[in-house]
Amino acid sequence: MAIPLGDRFGRPLRSLRLSVTDRCNLRCQYCMPEQDYAWLPRDTLLSFEEIVALAGGFTALGVDRVRITGGEPLLRRNLTTLIEGLAQLPEVRDLALTTNGVLLADQASALREAGLDRITVSLDTLDRGRFRALTRSDAHAGVLAGIDAASRAGFESLKLDTVVIRGVNDDELVALIEYGRGVGAEVRFIEYMDVGGATRWNRKAVVSQDEILQTLSVRYGAPVPLAGRGSAPASRFALPDGTTFGIIASTTQPFCADCDRSRLTADGVWLMCLYAQAGTDLRRPLRAGATREELVHLIRTVWSQRADRGAEERLGLDAREPLIPLAALRKNAHLEMHTRGG
Ligand code: SAM
Ligand code: SF4
Ligand code: SF4
């Protein structure tokens, strides 16, 4: 058997996030709060064939979980063709997608039929007015219809991701748990992160895992931690009635020590960490005709040198401000969360 590929901290390469577009039909305040953005040039975007070819290089080295993301991945035309291609890679045992849900109602069944195993929909509020203020869009009803369609499409799991922000939606934790229960979805609360693009981030707006648990305890009784988290970003809990939920405490309790994730942008830049300032261009060698063996060798070399632990390093800072100043973001779209995918 091949020796598992480990980085400098012995972390294996298991999970790949594929961003298929940097465009988005929402403007979430915690991700894209600015008026204008510089977009990746269209001719640099990888074709589906190129994405599957690169994904095959990763699966050869141990990747068995793939998540499609963006930007908003459902904006990418004929996405089901990519899903079919990825689902055919024999090593991929878990194929998932993260979406804002706006275009999901019409696509949910086709995504499932194409081979998508699991789906996560971002839902920060149940209130239409709040949604408008948070996203600069009136598509709230469409998102709820998308969740409804996903819950009927037969996915192995449906999750709802909520970024919790103080004074914005931290009074909706119970309502979101109840809503999730109604649609058969597990809710995951995400701490507000100071990633690139989150130019309005400030420490006080972060609602910590401890606070989230405290709020839910008041309503339901103390949540019980569930074992077996492994390398997953969410800690899972059960309420006394058995309802489960997750918390992704990237800001106050980072989990870099177990991180087996990396990200490929829509134009083929491979990033070792959500907080990384630069990545490895895989598009160039691919388009220059590199063989599969050469690509595998490059991926192996880069991963074996990986020492990223971005969120843990941020935790050690005394003064914590948005990661990347606006002027730098304007010059380099690759630093943006909406380019790298969540
Ligand atoms: N557009 C899709 C969506 O929103 O689901 C997929 C891409 S989005 C970048 C992926 C995830 O990143 C979303 O769940 C979003 O809430 C999360 N995200 C974006 N900015 C964030 C931030 N500053 N802190 C925490 N999570 C963030
Ligand atoms: Fe919101 Fe996702 Fe779009 Fe970012 S990429 S603005 S989180 S919908
Ligand atoms: Fe992984 Fe980087 Fe997130 Fe830490 S901050 S969990 S190393 S992606």
Side-chain angles (χ1 to χ4, degrees):
M1 212 170 98
I3 300 165
L5 173 61
D7 71 4
R8 291 212 340 235
F9 298 131
R11 297 171 296 187
L13 173 61
R14 296 286 302 279
S15 163
L16 180 66
R17 302 198 172 194
L18 294 170
S19 174
V20 293
T21 179
D22 58 330
R23 319 278 156 138
C24 191
N25 43 7
L26 297 185
R27 290 289 180 274
C28 303
Q29 277 296 310
Y30 50 76
C31 179
M32 300 185 74
E34 306 302 327
Q35 289 303 322
D36 301 309
Y37 285 94
W39 306 107
L40 300 177
R42 285 200 180 263
D43 63 344
T44 64
L45 298 192
L46 300 176
S47 68
F48 290 158
E49 292 76 14
E50 288 174 324
I51 295 175
V52 174
L54 287 178
F58 284 91
T59 57
L61 290 167
V63 163
D64 59 3
R65 301 193 312 273
V66 174
R67 177 172 293 275
I68 298 165
T69 180
E72 174 43 39
L74 300 189
L75 286 174
R76 183 87 187 239
R77 235 181 278 160
N78 303 323
L79 188 67
T80 48
T81 307
L82 175 66
I83 290 170
E84 283 163 6
L86 294 169
Q88 275 165 23
L89 294 172
E91 299 89 350
V92 175
R93 59 171 184 85
D94 179 37
L95 184 55
L97 174 137
T98 303
T99 171
N100 63 28
V102 173
L103 300 173
L104 184 57
D106 288 342
Q107 298 190 35
S109 331
L111 293 168
R112 178 64 180 135
E113 277 159 28
L116 190 69
D117 299 317
R118 300 188 298 121
I119 195 156
T120 301
V121 185
S122 299
L123 179 71
D124 300 317
T125 178
L126 295 166
D127 181 272
R128 186 177 162 192
R130 245 180 215 186
F131 182 89
R132 198 183 298 120
L134 195 58
T135 65
R136 281 187 261 156
S137 154
D138 213 7
H140 191 242
V143 174
L144 298 185
I147 293 169
D148 192 45
S151 74
R152 287 182 279 104
F155 289 105
E156 283 170 24
S157 93
L158 169 63
K159 293 201 177 98
L160 301 178
D161 275 8
T162 303
V163 180
V164 185
I165 303 182
R166 194 177 311 284
V168 174
N169 62 350
D170 52 337
D171 57 349
E172 289 194 65
L173 306 186
V174 168
L176 284 159
I177 291 265
E178 295 297 321
Y179 174 80
R181 200 182 352 226
V183 295
E186 184 167 294
V187 177
R188 303 193 309 173
F189 299 112
I190 307 177
E191 290 181 352
Y192 188 9
M193 296 166 67
D194 53 349
V195 284
T199 48
R200 309 286 151 92
W201 186 91
N202 70 81
R203 195 191 286 255
K204 289 198 181 112
V206 178
V207 180
S208 69
Q209 167 164 314
D210 291 348
E211 288 176 90
I212 293 169
L213 289 174
Q214 177 57 32
T215 302
L216 295 175
S217 297
V218 170
R219 169 68 171 75
Y220 296 107
V224 178
L226 297 175
R229 168 189 184 158
S231 60
S235 306
R236 292 179 71 236
F237 299 85
L239 296 172
D241 70 0
T243 304
T244 56
F245 69 93
I247 303 181
I248 301 179
S250 332
T251 304
T252 67
Q253 298 179 41
F255 32 82
C256 303
D258 295 316
C259 179
D260 60 4
R261 288 174 293 285
S262 68
R263 297 168 165 78
L264 191 66
T265 62
D267 63 345
V269 174
W270 182 34
L271 296 154
M272 300 299 108
C273 177
L274 212 42
Y275 288 89
Q277 307 271 337
T280 303
D281 183 0
L282 298 183
R283 183 186 78 247
R284 196 168 305 192
L286 179 72
R287 289 195 177 165
T291 63
R292 182 182 157 100
E293 287 65 37
E294 286 166 341
L295 288 169
V296 168
H297 178 73
L298 175 59
I299 296 168
R300 181 195 298 278
T301 306
V302 173
W303 187 265
S304 62
Q305 290 162 4
R306 173 186 189 242
D308 298 69
R309 35 187 289 279
E312 284 180 358
E313 282 165 6
R314 302 287 296 163
L315 193 62
L317 297 179
D318 289 337
R320 197 160 164 180
E321 290 177 341
L323 177 70
I324 314 278
L326 190 52
L329 285 172
R330 291 239 152 90
K331 285 194 202 126
N332 184 358
H334 288 101
L335 296 169
E336 296 273 5
M337 179 72 155
H338 70 265
T339 305
R340 4 189 97 184

